[in-house]
Amino acid sequence: MTTTTPVPLRTAQPSRQVRRAQTRKARRAAARSTPQAQNRALAEHILDAAAAKAAAAAQASTLAKAQLAEAEVQAWLKDMDARLEVIFAHPERNLGEIEEQLAVAVKEPLRLLAQRAAQVKANAVACQCPECHTQLSQQRYLSRIICSRFGPLTIWRRYGWCPRCGQWHFPADYALGLGHKAPASPYLQEISALLVSKMPAEQAVLVAERLGLDLSRCGLHQEAHRQGLKAQEWRAQFVAQLDTWEQIQQLASAATEGPPAQPFTLVIEIDAWDIRERDDWGKTQELREQGKKPERWHWVYMATVFRLDHRGQTAGKRAVIPQRGYAATRLGLEALSAQLYREALARGLGQAQLVLVIADGALWIWNLAEDRFPDARQRLDLFHAEEHLWAVAHDLYGHGTPEAQAWVAPLLQQIRDDQTLAVIASLTELKPRLLEAQQKKIQTQIGYFQDNAPRMKYKEVLQARKACEEGKATEQQKQLANHPVGSGAIESACRQYQCRFKRTGQFWTTSGDEALMCLETLWRNGRWAQLYPHARSSSALN
Ligand SMILES: [Zn+2]
């Protein structure tokens, strides 16, 4: 049996009823068009809206339990069923589709629950000044929309005026961990910080979206910057624990409590790389006219510190150091020195049997080492030392020639045998036979080896490694074989930071790069949860 839809009758003239309705509508429109009528309509609208708001505030402020109504739970289950049915009906939709659809289905019930839970929290907060704890006067309610992990949450907060501080306060905002004006929830604050310290903000928004997080309304770059400033504040307090001698003593001995540890070596590696900044932006022409060069590249000082006994190997025989401390800053050598020293103390400086500083030949590094770690053993990175000899070889005999190779080979061996003085003697002997320009170059290299000779001790480590390979190593040699002769750990760390901070076309401001670098370092140092206590419950940070 088939049913037929009735075809509407078409008439040339509207019916009498329709005509009457049209006349009434026209009269009403005419009445609204007078200014008085307009004012009346507007007032009614405002009163209606205010009443709706008051009702919403009243309802929210009495909420004492966060739960889903039975009907909401049922609606969710039904929705989930429907989504799964569609997937089951299509053989080509795989587990990915199931993951995706279930995550979508659960978002709304979680959003409602999060909104209600946040409201319950907000309701429990006393309406006192968070600074002086005075009862706030002129209390009233205002709602705000927070971007959360589950979507936008509307939260009503009581606020009031502190007569003592002369300020309006929203105590619930403090209690919930919300920023003054920024919409991000604490979780989204954290995610903004994490993503933007790893990748440019415009990419981060898209990655987050794919992971089911809407960061588009969070002002991602600004949010990450705010978080970076928070990280800097935390770091300043951390480093300020070095302000008194008593505090330093306390920190140094902190780790000695409990069972005595095996003697260990603490390795410190230091280096620097340069970053492009937007200072004097737009003044290039002006500066050039004054004969000045617009300075755009600045040093980022970095260091890493780790215990040798914490170094391990991956299944693929790659060296890994799971517990490593980092310091990185654009704020100058003093800042690096303090950060590094604090980090070294946290990593066992006070207990180490031996402290080993490894770096290239830069003078500032060795000054810093003398200043902060006067008892440390200093070692020049072997690779840098060899590079300096290769530079001479190439200069004398040309790049990659067999002659250069033949000349440099015995000298490289001398370096590995701790015979730096013999190398210096060879170079000095060579000097009078060269042209003036070459003499100057070779003198620079002689100076380099003279300055660094005390730091060029590789023989015992290399011999220990050889003995290990041959299975003839003594216990002491087994320990020694582990000692690094190069500063590869800091060089790879520098490269990793540069992957984020030195992308094509990237310019930074000092405040911008320092804030993000501080976040990155906090993450690497395993101190993320200091800034985001909620992250402690994540297995990734435990
Ligand atoms: Zn106050």
Side-chain angles (χ1 to χ4, degrees), residues 4 23 31 37 56 122 133 146 154 175 182 208 236 247 294 351 385 395 400 421 462 527:
T4 50
T23 319
H133 304 290
I146 301 302
T154 303
Q247 281 174 312
Q351 295 80 43
D395 199 41
L421 294 180
L462 296 174
R527 303 220 167 82

Side-chain angles (χ1 to χ4, degrees), residues 357-371 377-381 452 455:
V357 178
I358 308 182
D360 66 22
L363 190 62
W364 64 267
I365 294 179
W366 302 116
N367 288 340
L368 190 156
E370 293 283 347
D371 179 37
R377 184 179 298 173
Q378 299 182 356
R379 181 171 289 154
L380 182 76
D381 170 63
N452 287 298
R455 305 183 184 109

Side-chain angles (χ1 to χ4, degrees), residues 298-309:
H298 300 277
W299 289 110
V300 173
Y301 295 112
M302 275 189 61
T304 184
V305 47
F306 57 92
R307 279 170 59 162
L308 210 50
D309 55 339

Side-chain angles (χ1 to χ4, degrees), residues 267-273 300-306 324-329 333 335-341 343-344 347 357-359 364-365 368 373 489-491 493-494 497 521 524-525:
V267 180
I268 297 172
E269 299 185 10
I270 307 171
D271 207 349
W273 51 278
V300 173
Y301 295 112
M302 275 189 61
T304 184
V305 47
F306 57 92
R324 235 170 102 166
Y326 296 88
T329 186
L333 278 175
L336 175 79
S337 174
Q339 286 170 32
L340 169 61
Y341 188 63
E343 201 55 46
R347 309 265 163 189
V357 178
I358 308 182
W364 64 267
I365 294 179
L368 190 156
F373 313 104
I490 189 62
E491 279 159 32
C494 286
Y497 273 73
T521 309
R524 284 169 175 262
N525 284 345

Side-chain angles (χ1 to χ4, degrees), residues 128-134 136 161-167 169:
Q128 287 177 349
C129 171
E131 276 144 42
C132 71
H133 304 290
T134 304
L136 298 178
W161 174 257
C162 175
R164 210 190 264 182
C165 303
Q167 257 186 321
H169 284 294

Side-chain angles (χ1 to χ4, degrees), residues 189-229:
Q189 292 168 24
E190 182 209 344
I191 296 302
S192 307
L194 182 58
L195 286 177
V196 180
S197 61
K198 308 275 177 214
M199 65 183 81
E202 57 277 15
Q203 281 179 31
V205 170
L206 299 175
V207 170
E209 194 185 318
R210 183 62 203 95
L211 296 173
L213 301 172
D214 181 10
L215 296 183
S216 61
R217 273 175 290 183
C218 290
L220 198 54
H221 201 271
Q222 293 90 322
E223 186 55 48
H225 183 64
R226 266 193 292 276
Q227 297 306 313
L229 296 180

Side-chain angles (χ1 to χ4, degrees), residues 491-511:
E491 279 159 32
S492 77
C494 286
R495 275 196 297 276
Q496 287 163 26
Y497 273 73
Q498 289 177 74
C499 283
R500 171 66 187 96
F501 293 93
K502 265 175 106 164
R503 294 184 182 220
T504 318
Q506 242 175 5
F507 282 93
W508 295 89
T509 61
T510 309
S511 135

